Amino acid sequence: EVQLVESGGAVVQPGESLRLSCAASGFRFDDYSMHWVRQAPGKGLEWVSLINWDGGTMYYADSVKGRFTISRDNSRNSLYLQMNSLTTEDTALYYCAKAATTSPRYYFDYWGHGTLVTVSS
Amino acid sequence: EIVLTQSPATLSLSPGERATLSCRASQSVSSFLVWYKQKPGQAPRLLIYDASNRATGIPARFSGSGSGTDFTLSISSLEPEDFAVYYCQQRSNWPPTFGGGTKVEIK
């Protein structure tokens, strides 16, 4: 059974940093790209970042580019998101999501339950 | 980036009725359109990929259609567990983008 379990969410002040983690199990982690998708309270879904299977390629939404860094450790079946210079606009539930195929046209077949990041002064 | 517009924002129906949800893209996405269902407090669940293919374990009452810019998700007869928010997502162009969602609520 595929499982994705996020952790690391917290309440932080604007300008602070946070590191999210996602522990994966039930599939060959190093076969698939992995993504972060976020959902602001009461809002829709926003794709945030992707990392390819070997960690050699990363992409970011314009809204987080230069502030967030995605990484993975295939030996630990884990995905990470380093979030710096946080603003109130980053307040959201952050989901870890598995790419459904190895195609570069991405969609997501498994999602974690999310970890909540609240940025507030 | 491609903008997806979902309509209506809210659909009020009774169990057993048919639901028809729309997703319109700002430019053609061919058939690279995906649907998810999200219940309150839960993660999104994949329903339909590439416009019309049901994901594993999805009941046959869910069907998707369309191509280019106009897509439809249909639920033939609403079950209690179908009352939720539905999102479309395009995987044709970079970056992947989502629609704003349609809430299917009990009338």
Side-chain angles (χ1 to χ4, degrees):
Chain A
E1 179 193 5
V2 172
Q3 285 198 317
L4 299 170
V5 180
E6 303 94 336
S7 61
V11 179
V12 297
Q13 295 192 336
E16 292 188 338
S17 299
L18 206 55
R19 188 193 197 208
L20 307 183
S21 299
C22 171
S25 61
F27 65 102
R28 280 204 58 162
F29 184 70
D30 55 7
D31 272 354
Y32 294 93
S33 68
M34 294 295 296
H35 302 247
W36 290 99
V37 179
R38 69 184 180 183
Q39 187 169 33
K43 302 296 185 182
L45 300 165
E46 179 190 15
W47 174 84
V48 172
S49 183
L50 96 86
I51 188 166
N52 77 329
W53 66 275
D54 67 355
T57 301
M58 293 83 77
Y59 290 106
Y60 301 93
D62 288 345
S63 56
V64 307
K65 201 173 295 183
R67 300 187 298 120
F68 289 12
T69 302
I70 192 171
S71 61
R72 67 190 293 161
D73 183 341
N74 287 346
S75 68
R76 296 177 181 269
N77 286 355
S78 292
L79 175 72
Y80 307 101
L81 186 68
Q82 178 66 42
M83 310 164 67
N84 297 334
S85 303
L86 285 161
T87 76
T88 56
E89 302 290 305
D90 298 316
T91 294
L93 188 62
Y94 284 74
Y95 293 104
C96 165
K98 171 188 168 291
T101 73
T102 55
S103 160
R105 287 194 166 106
Y106 300 107
Y107 68 108
F108 316 108
D109 57 352
Y110 290 95
W111 302 61
H113 281 85
T115 188
L116 183 61
V117 174
T118 303
V119 185
S120 174
S121 54
Chain B
E1 73 179 40
I2 292 178
V3 176
L4 299 178
T5 302
Q6 293 188 241
S7 62
T10 304
L11 198 52
S12 298
L13 295 168
S14 300
E17 288 193 294
R18 181 180 185 86
T20 302
L21 288 66
S22 173
C23 177
R24 177 164 289 177
S26 58
Q27 63 189 80
S28 177
V29 299
S30 185
S31 294
F32 296 115
L33 196 285
V34 182
W35 291 95
Y36 303 91
K37 167 187 171 182
Q38 187 178 37
K39 301 204 73 172
Q42 296 184 16
R45 182 181 181 185
L46 176 65
L47 290 178
I48 301 282
Y49 64 94
D50 294 349
S52 61
N53 298 287
R54 278 190 303 277
T56 302
I58 301 304
R61 65 180 180 273
F62 290 90
S63 63
S65 63
S67 66
T69 61
D70 290 298
F71 299 86
T72 299
L73 174 69
S74 298
I75 310 170
S76 59
S77 177
L78 284 163
E79 298 285 340
E81 61 268 27
D82 299 336
F83 292 93
V85 179
Y86 293 82
Y87 294 97
C88 58
Q89 178 229 321
Q90 64 82 19
R91 72 184 195 101
S92 173
N93 285 28
W94 189 259
T97 52
F98 294 88
T102 290
K103 181 180 181 181
V104 179
E105 66 175 21
I106 299 176
K107 187 173 182 181

